[in-house]
């Protein structure tokens, strides 16, 4: 967006640049809302009730709260089907128009190649189901895990849940040992969509290390999550901050706001190689109320080396 007079012409604007004044205002906002930290007792109680809070979240929203993430195939084309002759929804333009792309048939051997995808924090399947829907790969297996038993049960009840190509299970990704239905060094792609931010920063490195353990050599982890100074962070009131840039929402769920360097440190320490690390700053507007809302997301891709380094 280069012409400020056109700001309310569309619902959203991509790749918005912030000036020094806006950066400073955001920094001051975070200083203010993190000035009062939660007590150790309150933090301990949140940790004890984490599973109940997430079960309650999905129990309230069920699957009405979520929409299929068709943008996945644009931001993460590695998730797109190897072979399919159909229109795959690609993205929504600022004026609300949906742009689709037709998958071009790949060589027959691509269809036969075994591919494994593992999503951590799958929720009710809004990443998994589009992958299954638009792919006709015979040897595709999508594993889906979530901390919430309620979320997994909702997935099981969906008519889109295909037991031949999908296996969902409950997993606490912060646990010292993972109980998963696959071997180490066996997963092609690990996906985390607004999930790592819900984990205590002190346990994030362990989670990333475990991901690396189960990725096959040459496999990739891809993540999209909340970025520093996102609107959601600036809206917190004092007293909701547990640790630096780590907060509790009104429903008891937790959220951290990343910088690019945060993620670079986590994944490179685990021995992965950076292939993408970007900040997506987007301006969303309410044209009726003339309100501007600045969203900040981070997106990364890291690959496990094929040869020991």
């Amino acid at each position: 967006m280069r012409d400020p007079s056109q700001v309310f012409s569309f619902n959203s604007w991509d790749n918005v640049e912030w000036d020094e004044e806006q950066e400073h205002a955001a920094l001051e906002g975070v200083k203010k809302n993190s000035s009062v930290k939660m007590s150790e007792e309150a933090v301990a109680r949140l940790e004890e009730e984490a599973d109940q809070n997430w079960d309650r979240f999905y129990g309230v929203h069920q699957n009405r709260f979520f929409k299929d993430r068709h943008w996945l195939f644009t931001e993460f084309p590695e998730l797109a089907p190897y072979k399919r002759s159909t229109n795959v929804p690609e993205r929504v333009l600022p004026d609300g128009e949906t742009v689709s792309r037709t998958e071009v048939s790949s060589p027959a051997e691509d269809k036969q190649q075994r591919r494994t995808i593992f999503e951590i924090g799958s929720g009710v399947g809004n990443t998994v189901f589009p992958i299954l829907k638009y792919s006709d790969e015979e040897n595709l297996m999508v594993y889906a895990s979530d901390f919430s038993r309620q979320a997994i049960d909702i997935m099981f009840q969906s008519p889109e849940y295909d037991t031949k190509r999908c296996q969902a299970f409950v997993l606490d990704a912060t646990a010292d040992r993972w109980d998963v239905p696959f071997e180490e060094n066996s997963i092609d792609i690990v996906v985390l969509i607004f999930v790592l931010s819900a984990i205590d920063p002190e346990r994030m490195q362990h989670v990333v290390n475990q991901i690396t353990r189960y990725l096959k050599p040459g496999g990739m982890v891809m993540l999209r999550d909340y970025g520093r100074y996102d609107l959601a962070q600036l809206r917190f009131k004092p007293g909701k901050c547990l640790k630096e840039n780590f907060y509790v929402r009104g429903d008891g769920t937790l959220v951290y706001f990343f910088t690019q360097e945060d993620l670079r440190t986590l994944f490179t320490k685990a021995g992965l190689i950076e292939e993408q690390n970007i900040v997506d700053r987007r301006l969303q507007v309410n044209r009726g109320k003339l309100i501007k809302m600045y969203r900040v997301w981070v997106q990364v891709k890291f690959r496990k080396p094929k040869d020991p380094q």
Side-chain angles (χ1 to χ4, degrees):
M1 182 189 63
R2 297 179 179 177
D3 185 354
S5 67
Q6 299 297 312
V7 65
F8 294 108
S9 299
F10 301 103
N11 294 324
S12 65
W13 299 86
D14 293 337
N15 304 316
V16 176
E17 295 184 5
W18 288 21
D19 56 27
E20 290 186 11
E21 182 178 354
Q22 190 171 0
E23 290 273 3
H24 178 73
L27 176 60
E28 291 301 313
V30 169
K31 285 182 178 179
K32 181 178 180 180
N33 70 21
S34 60
S35 60
V36 179
K37 298 291 194 299
M38 295 189 71
S39 66
E40 293 183 3
E41 293 79 6
V43 173
R45 186 167 60 252
L46 283 172
E47 293 176 350
E48 293 175 0
E49 299 174 352
D51 55 344
Q52 300 172 38
N53 290 332
W54 279 111
D55 282 344
R56 189 181 303 114
F57 174 88
Y58 288 113
V60 170
H61 296 295
Q62 294 289 313
N63 59 0
R64 297 185 298 273
F65 181 79
F66 304 92
K67 297 179 180 179
D68 285 349
R69 294 165 172 163
H70 295 313
W71 55 265
L72 281 172
F73 302 128
T74 302
E75 303 297 340
F76 300 132
E78 297 87 354
L79 294 175
Y82 277 165
K83 187 177 189 296
R84 184 71 172 178
S85 297
T86 186
N87 285 333
V88 179
E90 184 167 8
R91 66 179 304 178
V92 179
L93 297 179
D95 61 2
E97 180 184 357
T98 299
V99 176
S100 298
R101 61 187 174 92
T102 300
E103 287 296 306
V104 179
S105 295
S106 304
E109 58 266 21
D110 283 348
K111 186 175 180 180
Q112 302 303 322
Q113 181 177 336
R114 176 168 172 78
R115 190 161 70 125
T116 54
I117 299 172
F118 175 36
E119 184 183 15
I120 300 173
S122 58
V124 296
N126 299 85
T127 296
V128 170
F129 291 147
I131 295 173
L132 295 175
K133 179 179 180 180
Y134 295 110
S135 172
D136 61 0
E137 298 165 66
E138 296 175 357
N139 291 322
L140 173 69
M141 174 54 71
V142 180
Y143 297 101
S145 74
D146 200 275
F147 184 59
S148 168
R149 164 56 65 183
Q150 182 81 10
I152 297 300
D153 286 343
I154 293 173
M155 280 194 68
F156 286 158
Q157 296 165 15
S158 172
E160 298 173 290
Y161 184 70
D162 182 356
T163 56
K164 294 180 180 179
R165 299 194 300 158
C166 183
Q167 186 171 348
F169 54 95
V170 176
L171 174 69
D172 177 1
T174 67
D176 290 339
R177 297 178 65 86
W178 284 7
D179 183 11
V180 293
F182 45 80
E183 302 296 326
E184 296 181 6
N185 301 301
S186 67
I187 300 296
D188 291 292
I189 299 175
V190 174
V191 185
L192 301 102
I193 307 296
F194 297 98
V195 169
L196 195 61
S197 56
I199 294 172
D200 188 314
E202 294 182 8
R203 296 295 289 170
M204 288 181 184
Q205 188 64 62
H206 168 71
V207 173
V208 173
N209 291 346
Q210 288 291 88
I211 289 170
T212 303
R213 181 189 301 272
Y214 286 95
L215 271 178
K216 67 170 53 172
M220 176 182 289
V221 56
M222 47 190 64
L223 170 150
R224 188 170 176 87
D225 220 318
Y226 295 102
R228 190 70 47 84
Y229 306 146
D230 178 61
L231 171 68
Q233 182 177 19
L234 300 180
R235 280 183 168 175
F236 279 106
K237 304 297 183 184
K240 296 296 184 179
C241 184
L242 287 71
K243 303 175 183 179
E244 189 174 358
N245 301 301
F246 190 48
Y247 302 80
V248 58
R249 300 186 182 95
D251 60 8
T253 60
L254 307 176
V255 58
Y256 182 86
F257 296 88
F258 292 98
T259 64
Q260 289 172 282
E261 191 57 37
D262 287 337
L263 294 169
R264 177 175 294 118
T265 299
L266 285 169
F267 288 102
T268 56
K269 275 189 175 180
L272 302 183
I273 300 170
E274 181 178 300
E275 293 202 352
Q276 183 188 68
N277 191 336
I278 61 175
V279 174
D280 180 3
R281 289 187 173 89
R282 188 169 302 179
L283 171 59
Q284 297 176 342
V285 301
N286 184 317
R287 290 190 279 178
K289 298 181 179 179
L290 301 181
I291 296 174
K292 295 187 289 185
M293 298 167 287
Y294 289 93
R295 305 310 309 265
V296 183
W297 297 301
V298 286
Q299 182 171 304
V300 302
K301 298 177 185 178
F302 284 81
R303 191 176 297 276
K304 186 173 182 177
K306 289 187 177 181
D307 300 315
Q309 292 190 353

